[in-house]
């Protein structure tokens, strides 16, 4: 038997779920309908909703207490996909009141992944995404002096100016 070669960069298509026909309204399948009209006749059908959360753990890149506020600083070169950047919105919702998630972007003007080009030719940037979602964000140059090693900043600023 000849082994089928897989082309590099080619992804096998996902097998689609078969579509059932003639499903009665409010049922997810014909089997569900049969159960409700037979074996589970005394049961209520689709009458309750249960909200759920998938529990995850987030480990921030840097943590510091400033005043009575806990700052979680996430250093980001760039976001790679929707799953990555949407995660931070969920993390923010789970934070206690005295904790803030703040982004330190290597390039705040870098375009977001899968961002559509606007009429003016630009794309939504990391900084725009952060602001739109209520996050504080900084670049290395804009971090507040009280957050950084000020001597390191002064020495490196002098070295850059002398070059």
């Amino acid at each position: 038997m000849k082994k089928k070669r897989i082309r590099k960069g080619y992804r096998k298509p996902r097998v689609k779920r078969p579509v059932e026909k003639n499903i009665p309204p409010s049922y997810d399948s014909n089997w569900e309908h049969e159960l409700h009209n037979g074996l589970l006749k005394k049961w209520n059908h689709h009458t309750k909703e249960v909200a759920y959360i998938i529990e995850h753990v987030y480990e921030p890149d840097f943590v510091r207490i400033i005043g009575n506020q806990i700052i979680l600083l996430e250093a980001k070169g760039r976001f790679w996909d929707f799953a990555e950047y949407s995660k931070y919105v969920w993390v923010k919702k789970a934070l206690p009141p005295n904790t803030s998630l703040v982004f330190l972007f290597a390039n705040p003007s870098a375009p977001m992944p899968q961002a559509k080009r606007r009429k003016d030719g630009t794309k939504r940037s990391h900084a725009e995404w952060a602001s739109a979602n209520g996050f504080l964000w900084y670049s290395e140059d804009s971090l507040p002096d009280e957050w950084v090693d000020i001597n390191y900043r002064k020495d490196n600023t002098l070295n850059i100016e002398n070059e």
Side-chain angles (χ1 to χ4, degrees), residues 86-105:
S86 65
K87 163 181 82 174
Y88 296 108
V89 175
W90 289 105
V91 169
K92 182 181 175 188
K93 289 178 181 183
L95 294 176
N98 67 330
T99 305
S100 296
L101 177 58
V102 178
F103 286 94
L104 174 59
F105 291 123

Side-chain angles (χ1 to χ4, degrees), residues 64-71 96-100:
R64 185 164 174 206
I65 299 172
I66 299 174
N68 63 350
Q69 190 74 3
I70 299 169
I71 307 294
N98 67 330
T99 305
S100 296

Side-chain angles (χ1 to χ4, degrees), residues 60-157:
D61 293 330
F62 302 93
V63 180
R64 185 164 174 206
I65 299 172
I66 299 174
N68 63 350
Q69 190 74 3
I70 299 169
I71 307 294
L72 309 178
L73 188 64
E74 184 65 28
K76 274 286 169 219
R78 65 174 307 232
F79 290 120
W80 291 98
D81 58 21
F82 173 79
E84 182 185 12
Y85 60 82
S86 65
K87 163 181 82 174
Y88 296 108
V89 175
W90 289 105
V91 169
K92 182 181 175 188
K93 289 178 181 183
L95 294 176
N98 67 330
T99 305
S100 296
L101 177 58
V102 178
F103 286 94
L104 174 59
F105 291 123
N107 180 5
S109 60
M112 291 294 287
Q114 294 93 30
K116 292 180 181 166
R117 195 166 297 281
R118 299 175 181 140
K119 289 181 181 177
D120 66 0
T122 62
K123 291 183 175 183
R124 186 178 206 187
S125 70
H126 284 61
E128 289 172 319
W129 172 87
S131 296
N133 285 285
F135 291 105
L136 276 178
W137 63 269
Y138 297 99
S139 65
E140 284 184 70
D141 298 331
S142 67
L143 272 170
D145 286 344
E146 56 273 5
W147 287 23
V148 299
D149 180 340
I150 198 70
N151 294 326
Y152 179 85
R153 182 176 269 174
K154 286 179 185 175
D155 291 345
N156 283 310
T157 304

Side-chain angles (χ1 to χ4, degrees), residues 19-102:
V19 179
E20 265 189 274
K21 295 179 182 172
N22 304 321
I23 300 172
S26 84
Y27 292 95
D28 299 326
S29 67
N30 284 314
W31 182 55
E32 190 178 274
H33 179 257
E34 289 171 22
L35 286 170
H36 190 234
N37 287 314
L39 186 64
L40 302 175
K41 196 174 222 157
K42 294 181 180 179
W43 288 66
N44 294 328
H45 178 259
H46 282 241
T47 57
K48 184 155 179 68
E49 290 182 351
V50 178
Y52 66 95
I53 296 171
I54 299 172
E55 193 168 315
H56 291 280
V57 176
Y58 166 66
E59 185 178 1
D61 293 330
F62 302 93
V63 180
R64 185 164 174 206
I65 299 172
I66 299 174
N68 63 350
Q69 190 74 3
I70 299 169
I71 307 294
L72 309 178
L73 188 64
E74 184 65 28
K76 274 286 169 219
R78 65 174 307 232
F79 290 120
W80 291 98
D81 58 21
F82 173 79
E84 182 185 12
Y85 60 82
S86 65
K87 163 181 82 174
Y88 296 108
V89 175
W90 289 105
V91 169
K92 182 181 175 188
K93 289 178 181 183
L95 294 176
N98 67 330
T99 305
S100 296
L101 177 58
V102 178

